[in-house]
Amino acid sequence: MIGPEVVSDVDFDLRRLRYFVAVAEELHFGRAAARLHIAQPALSRQIRALEDALRTALFVRDRRTTVLTAAGEQLLADARDLLAAAEAAHRRVTAAAEAKPVLTVGFMPASWSPRRCECWSATGRTSASG
């Protein structure tokens, strides 16, 4: 667990990580942009912002090719795990929010007696039978 004494100026934006993974898998900004349904210049700006935040190049690009750097290869492996963990956390939180409270009622037949049974009425008052 990371304690409060650990300070980092890197803030991983999940959207930027998704964009990075798309470019890293496609190795082509145009195809990645089409896959993500966004404009290629916007995708390029987001990748550049991620590289600036990390203070390292993730891709070597020229007019014809896009190749991952060693840092990009490492981030690709880590980003897939981070995105999977974020999705799993989202599913768990959603399930917890949608969970209905459960009331479980039990009794022990050996100790049950009609004479000593107290029953709750709809008004919340008790009545003894027997």
Side-chain angles (χ1 to χ4, degrees):
M1 183 170 162
I2 296 176
E5 69 281 352
V6 176
V7 177
S8 175
D9 60 346
V10 176
D11 185 15
F12 279 112
D13 180 339
L14 295 179
R15 179 178 44 110
R16 284 186 182 155
L17 284 179
R18 282 189 203 92
Y19 290 177
F20 166 77
V21 169
V23 174
E25 290 175 349
E26 298 289 339
L27 291 176
H28 190 278
F29 278 78
R31 285 191 301 266
R35 172 175 149 184
L36 295 164
H37 306 289
I38 63 171
Q40 186 272 323
L43 177 59
S44 293
R45 282 191 300 273
Q46 292 297 319
I47 296 300
R48 180 68 65 202
L50 179 60
E51 289 175 321
D52 289 347
L54 294 171
R55 296 187 185 110
T56 190
L58 301 170
F59 299 97
V60 176
R61 348 162 158 60
D62 62 27
R63 291 194 115 7
R64 298 183 135 185
T65 61
T66 301
V67 180
L68 283 167
T69 63
E73 291 279 355
Q74 183 61 57
L75 183 58
L76 179 58
D78 293 339
R80 286 175 173 150
D81 292 340
L82 286 168
L83 292 171
E87 180 60 31
H90 181 261
R91 281 192 310 270
R92 288 190 303 271
V93 168
T94 300
E98 293 173 351
K100 303 277 189 248
V102 176
L103 172 65
T104 304
V105 179
F107 69 95
M108 298 179 62
S111 65
W112 183 78
S113 167
R115 293 179 189 256
R116 299 181 349 152
C117 177
E118 287 190 0
C119 301
W120 288 90
S121 70
T123 62
R125 287 181 261 154
T126 61
S127 61
S129 48

mmCIF file of all heavy atoms in Angstrom, residues 84-114:
data_model
loop_
_atom_site.group_PDB
_atom_site.id
_atom_site.type_symbol
_atom_site.label_atom_id
_atom_site.label_comp_id
_atom_site.label_asym_id
_atom_site.label_seq_id
_atom_site.Cartn_x
_atom_site.Cartn_y
_atom_site.Cartn_z
ATOM 1 N N ALA A 84 -7.497 -3.150 -16.751
ATOM 2 C CA ALA A 84 -8.272 -4.312 -16.290
ATOM 3 C C ALA A 84 -8.652 -4.147 -14.823
ATOM 4 O O ALA A 84 -9.788 -4.446 -14.428
ATOM 5 C CB ALA A 84 -7.479 -5.599 -16.499
ATOM 6 N N ALA A 85 -7.732 -3.649 -14.006
ATOM 7 C CA ALA A 85 -8.019 -3.436 -12.582
ATOM 8 C C ALA A 85 -9.081 -2.349 -12.400
ATOM 9 O O ALA A 85 -9.974 -2.483 -11.557
ATOM 10 C CB ALA A 85 -6.744 -3.062 -11.829
ATOM 11 N N ALA A 86 -9.004 -1.296 -13.191
ATOM 12 C CA ALA A 86 -10.005 -0.225 -13.107
ATOM 13 C C ALA A 86 -11.385 -0.739 -13.496
ATOM 14 O O ALA A 86 -12.387 -0.416 -12.847
ATOM 15 C CB ALA A 86 -9.597 0.952 -13.993
ATOM 16 N N GLU A 87 -11.458 -1.546 -14.533
ATOM 17 C CA GLU A 87 -12.737 -2.120 -14.961
ATOM 18 C C GLU A 87 -13.297 -3.055 -13.894
ATOM 19 O O GLU A 87 -14.498 -3.037 -13.595
ATOM 20 C CB GLU A 87 -12.572 -2.855 -16.291
ATOM 21 C CG GLU A 87 -13.849 -3.483 -16.808
ATOM 22 C CD GLU A 87 -14.973 -2.496 -17.054
ATOM 23 O OE1 GLU A 87 -14.707 -1.336 -17.394
ATOM 24 O OE2 GLU A 87 -16.147 -2.892 -16.878
ATOM 25 N N ALA A 88 -12.446 -3.866 -13.296
ATOM 26 C CA ALA A 88 -12.885 -4.783 -12.233
ATOM 27 C C ALA A 88 -13.387 -3.996 -11.026
ATOM 28 O O ALA A 88 -14.411 -4.346 -10.432
ATOM 29 C CB ALA A 88 -11.745 -5.720 -11.837
ATOM 30 N N ALA A 89 -12.690 -2.935 -10.663
ATOM 31 C CA ALA A 89 -13.130 -2.094 -9.541
ATOM 32 C C ALA A 89 -14.489 -1.466 -9.847
ATOM 33 O O ALA A 89 -15.373 -1.426 -8.991
ATOM 34 C CB ALA A 89 -12.092 -1.017 -9.248
ATOM 35 N N HIS A 90 -14.658 -1.006 -11.080
ATOM 36 C CA HIS A 90 -15.941 -0.417 -11.481
ATOM 37 C C HIS A 90 -17.077 -1.437 -11.363
ATOM 38 O O HIS A 90 -18.161 -1.126 -10.860
ATOM 39 C CB HIS A 90 -15.842 0.112 -12.914
ATOM 40 C CG HIS A 90 -17.101 0.751 -13.390
ATOM 41 N ND1 HIS A 90 -18.009 0.097 -14.184
ATOM 42 C CD2 HIS A 90 -17.627 1.974 -13.145
ATOM 43 C CE1 HIS A 90 -19.029 0.890 -14.428
ATOM 44 N NE2 HIS A 90 -18.810 2.033 -13.811
ATOM 45 N N ARG A 91 -16.835 -2.669 -11.817
ATOM 46 C CA ARG A 91 -17.857 -3.715 -11.716
ATOM 47 C C ARG A 91 -18.206 -4.005 -10.261
ATOM 48 O O ARG A 91 -19.381 -4.151 -9.908
ATOM 49 C CB ARG A 91 -17.391 -4.992 -12.409
ATOM 50 C CG ARG A 91 -17.516 -4.968 -13.918
ATOM 51 C CD ARG A 91 -17.330 -6.346 -14.534
ATOM 52 N NE ARG A 91 -16.141 -7.036 -14.060
ATOM 53 C CZ ARG A 91 -14.939 -6.961 -14.610
ATOM 54 N NH1 ARG A 91 -14.748 -6.219 -15.673
ATOM 55 N NH2 ARG A 91 -13.923 -7.629 -14.112
ATOM 56 N N ARG A 92 -17.184 -4.090 -9.387
ATOM 57 C CA ARG A 92 -17.436 -4.388 -7.975
ATOM 58 C C ARG A 92 -18.207 -3.263 -7.293
ATOM 59 O O ARG A 92 -19.130 -3.515 -6.513
ATOM 60 C CB ARG A 92 -16.123 -4.658 -7.244
ATOM 61 C CG ARG A 92 -15.487 -5.995 -7.613
ATOM 62 C CD ARG A 92 -14.319 -6.337 -6.704
ATOM 63 N NE ARG A 92 -13.275 -5.332 -6.686
ATOM 64 C CZ ARG A 92 -12.232 -5.290 -7.512
ATOM 65 N NH1 ARG A 92 -12.099 -6.215 -8.460
ATOM 66 N NH2 ARG A 92 -11.321 -4.343 -7.409
ATOM 67 N N VAL A 93 -17.846 -2.029 -7.584
ATOM 68 C CA VAL A 93 -18.540 -0.881 -6.984
ATOM 69 C C VAL A 93 -19.987 -0.834 -7.466
ATOM 70 O O VAL A 93 -20.911 -0.613 -6.677
ATOM 71 C CB VAL A 93 -17.797 0.430 -7.310
ATOM 72 C CG1 VAL A 93 -18.642 1.642 -6.958
ATOM 73 C CG2 VAL A 93 -16.471 0.474 -6.570
ATOM 74 N N THR A 94 -20.192 -1.065 -8.755
ATOM 75 C CA THR A 94 -21.551 -1.067 -9.301
ATOM 76 C C THR A 94 -22.391 -2.176 -8.670
ATOM 77 O O THR A 94 -23.541 -1.952 -8.285
ATOM 78 C CB THR A 94 -21.512 -1.239 -10.829
ATOM 79 O OG1 THR A 94 -20.764 -0.147 -11.383
ATOM 80 C CG2 THR A 94 -22.907 -1.251 -11.426
ATOM 81 N N ALA A 95 -21.821 -3.352 -8.532
ATOM 82 C CA ALA A 95 -22.545 -4.466 -7.913
ATOM 83 C C ALA A 95 -22.884 -4.152 -6.457
ATOM 84 O O ALA A 95 -23.987 -4.447 -5.991
ATOM 85 C CB ALA A 95 -21.724 -5.753 -8.002
ATOM 86 N N ALA A 96 -21.964 -3.534 -5.743
ATOM 87 C CA ALA A 96 -22.213 -3.191 -4.342
ATOM 88 C C ALA A 96 -23.308 -2.135 -4.237
ATOM 89 O O ALA A 96 -24.160 -2.197 -3.344
ATOM 90 C CB ALA A 96 -20.934 -2.694 -3.675
ATOM 91 N N ALA A 97 -23.321 -1.184 -5.156
ATOM 92 C CA ALA A 97 -24.333 -0.131 -5.132
ATOM 93 C C ALA A 97 -25.717 -0.672 -5.469
ATOM 94 O O ALA A 97 -26.731 -0.170 -4.972
ATOM 95 C CB ALA A 97 -23.962 0.979 -6.106
ATOM 96 N N GLU A 98 -25.778 -1.703 -6.304
ATOM 97 C CA GLU A 98 -27.060 -2.262 -6.724
ATOM 98 C C GLU A 98 -27.556 -3.372 -5.805
ATOM 99 O O GLU A 98 -28.677 -3.833 -5.954
ATOM 100 C CB GLU A 98 -26.945 -2.802 -8.147
ATOM 101 C CG GLU A 98 -26.715 -1.709 -9.175
ATOM 102 C CD GLU A 98 -26.428 -2.244 -10.555
ATOM 103 O OE1 GLU A 98 -26.243 -3.479 -10.706
ATOM 104 O OE2 GLU A 98 -26.381 -1.432 -11.495
ATOM 105 N N ALA A 99 -26.728 -3.784 -4.873
ATOM 106 C CA ALA A 99 -27.099 -4.886 -3.988
ATOM 107 C C ALA A 99 -28.290 -4.492 -3.115
ATOM 108 O O ALA A 99 -28.364 -3.391 -2.604
ATOM 109 C CB ALA A 99 -25.918 -5.295 -3.111
ATOM 110 N N LYS A 100 -29.198 -5.393 -2.966
ATOM 111 C CA LYS A 100 -30.372 -5.190 -2.118
ATOM 112 C C LYS A 100 -30.065 -5.752 -0.733
ATOM 113 O O LYS A 100 -29.458 -6.814 -0.612
ATOM 114 C CB LYS A 100 -31.577 -5.920 -2.704
ATOM 115 C CG LYS A 100 -31.917 -5.524 -4.107
ATOM 116 C CD LYS A 100 -32.740 -4.267 -4.119
ATOM 117 C CE LYS A 100 -33.262 -3.986 -5.502
ATOM 118 N NZ LYS A 100 -32.702 -2.842 -6.115
ATOM 119 N N PRO A 101 -30.487 -5.038 0.314
ATOM 120 C CA PRO A 101 -30.280 -5.588 1.649
ATOM 121 C C PRO A 101 -31.018 -6.921 1.798
ATOM 122 O O PRO A 101 -32.106 -7.100 1.267
ATOM 123 C CB PRO A 101 -30.891 -4.551 2.583
ATOM 124 C CG PRO A 101 -31.078 -3.326 1.757
ATOM 125 C CD PRO A 101 -31.148 -3.759 0.327
ATOM 126 N N VAL A 102 -30.410 -7.849 2.488
ATOM 127 C CA VAL A 102 -30.992 -9.173 2.672
ATOM 128 C C VAL A 102 -31.276 -9.375 4.149
ATOM 129 O O VAL A 102 -30.440 -9.102 5.007
ATOM 130 C CB VAL A 102 -30.015 -10.267 2.177
ATOM 131 C CG1 VAL A 102 -30.577 -11.656 2.448
ATOM 132 C CG2 VAL A 102 -29.731 -10.084 0.695
ATOM 133 N N LEU A 103 -32.477 -9.822 4.428
ATOM 134 C CA LEU A 103 -32.853 -10.157 5.795
ATOM 135 C C LEU A 103 -32.918 -11.669 5.886
ATOM 136 O O LEU A 103 -33.661 -12.317 5.150
ATOM 137 C CB LEU A 103 -34.214 -9.558 6.160
ATOM 138 C CG LEU A 103 -34.803 -9.998 7.496
ATOM 139 C CD1 LEU A 103 -33.921 -9.517 8.642
ATOM 140 C CD2 LEU A 103 -36.209 -9.482 7.656
ATOM 141 N N THR A 104 -32.138 -12.237 6.755
ATOM 142 C CA THR A 104 -32.139 -13.677 6.954
ATOM 143 C C THR A 104 -32.776 -13.967 8.306
ATOM 144 O O THR A 104 -32.395 -13.398 9.321
ATOM 145 C CB THR A 104 -30.694 -14.232 6.940
ATOM 146 O OG1 THR A 104 -30.079 -13.840 5.712
ATOM 147 C CG2 THR A 104 -30.689 -15.739 7.064
ATOM 148 N N VAL A 105 -33.777 -14.839 8.289
ATOM 149 C CA VAL A 105 -34.470 -15.219 9.511
ATOM 150 C C VAL A 105 -34.205 -16.691 9.771
ATOM 151 O O VAL A 105 -34.300 -17.507 8.864
ATOM 152 C CB VAL A 105 -35.998 -14.974 9.389
ATOM 153 C CG1 VAL A 105 -36.718 -15.402 10.648
ATOM 154 C CG2 VAL A 105 -36.268 -13.520 9.051
ATOM 155 N N GLY A 106 -33.854 -17.013 10.975
ATOM 156 C CA GLY A 106 -33.602 -18.402 11.322
ATOM 157 C C GLY A 106 -34.204 -18.731 12.680
ATOM 158 O O GLY A 106 -34.563 -17.839 13.441
ATOM 159 N N PHE A 107 -34.356 -19.992 12.933
ATOM 160 C CA PHE A 107 -34.830 -20.431 14.248
ATOM 161 C C PHE A 107 -34.230 -21.791 14.535
ATOM 162 O O PHE A 107 -33.721 -22.465 13.657
ATOM 163 C CB PHE A 107 -36.358 -20.471 14.307
ATOM 164 C CG PHE A 107 -36.957 -21.561 13.463
ATOM 165 C CD1 PHE A 107 -37.272 -22.790 14.020
ATOM 166 C CD2 PHE A 107 -37.218 -21.356 12.111
ATOM 167 C CE1 PHE A 107 -37.819 -23.795 13.241
ATOM 168 C CE2 PHE A 107 -37.765 -22.354 11.335
ATOM 169 C CZ PHE A 107 -38.069 -23.576 11.895
ATOM 170 N N MET A 108 -34.283 -22.141 15.779
ATOM 171 C CA MET A 108 -33.758 -23.429 16.210
ATOM 172 C C MET A 108 -34.939 -24.290 16.641
ATOM 173 O O MET A 108 -35.553 -24.015 17.673
ATOM 174 C CB MET A 108 -32.764 -23.245 17.356
ATOM 175 C CG MET A 108 -31.551 -22.427 16.937
ATOM 176 S SD MET A 108 -30.391 -22.162 18.255
ATOM 177 C CE MET A 108 -29.898 -23.807 18.631
ATOM 178 N N PRO A 109 -35.311 -25.314 15.871
ATOM 179 C CA PRO A 109 -36.499 -26.121 16.158
ATOM 180 C C PRO A 109 -36.494 -26.751 17.550
ATOM 181 O O PRO A 109 -37.530 -26.873 18.169
ATOM 182 C CB PRO A 109 -36.474 -27.205 15.091
ATOM 183 C CG PRO A 109 -35.591 -26.683 14.016
ATOM 184 C CD PRO A 109 -34.646 -25.751 14.671
ATOM 185 N N ALA A 110 -35.364 -27.128 18.082
ATOM 186 C CA ALA A 110 -35.318 -27.798 19.380
ATOM 187 C C ALA A 110 -35.754 -26.868 20.505
ATOM 188 O O ALA A 110 -36.316 -27.310 21.494
ATOM 189 C CB ALA A 110 -33.913 -28.333 19.650
ATOM 190 N N SER A 111 -35.517 -25.575 20.374
ATOM 191 C CA SER A 111 -35.867 -24.661 21.455
ATOM 192 C C SER A 111 -37.184 -23.945 21.199
ATOM 193 O O SER A 111 -37.632 -23.175 22.015
ATOM 194 C CB SER A 111 -34.746 -23.639 21.644
ATOM 195 O OG SER A 111 -34.643 -22.836 20.490
ATOM 196 N N TRP A 112 -37.808 -24.194 20.090
ATOM 197 C CA TRP A 112 -39.041 -23.499 19.741
ATOM 198 C C TRP A 112 -40.227 -24.126 20.454
ATOM 199 O O TRP A 112 -40.388 -25.334 20.501
ATOM 200 C CB TRP A 112 -39.250 -23.570 18.235
ATOM 201 C CG TRP A 112 -40.467 -22.821 17.788
ATOM 202 C CD1 TRP A 112 -40.580 -21.495 17.634
ATOM 203 C CD2 TRP A 112 -41.726 -23.377 17.454
ATOM 204 N NE1 TRP A 112 -41.826 -21.159 17.214
ATOM 205 C CE2 TRP A 112 -42.560 -22.314 17.105
ATOM 206 C CE3 TRP A 112 -42.251 -24.666 17.431
ATOM 207 C CZ2 TRP A 112 -43.880 -22.494 16.724
ATOM 208 C CZ3 TRP A 112 -43.555 -24.839 17.051
ATOM 209 C CH2 TRP A 112 -44.357 -23.757 16.702
ATOM 210 N N SER A 113 -41.063 -23.279 21.004
ATOM 211 C CA SER A 113 -42.273 -23.728 21.671
ATOM 212 C C SER A 113 -43.374 -22.737 21.366
ATOM 213 O O SER A 113 -43.177 -21.535 21.511
ATOM 214 C CB SER A 113 -42.045 -23.802 23.188
ATOM 215 O OG SER A 113 -43.269 -23.940 23.861
ATOM 216 N N PRO A 114 -44.575 -23.227 20.981
ATOM 217 C CA PRO A 114 -45.671 -22.301 20.681
ATOM 218 C C PRO A 114 -46.025 -21.441 21.882
ATOM 219 O O PRO A 114 -46.471 -20.321 21.732
ATOM 220 C CB PRO A 114 -46.845 -23.195 20.302
ATOM 221 C CG PRO A 114 -46.268 -24.531 20.032
ATOM 222 C CD PRO A 114 -44.964 -24.598 20.730
#
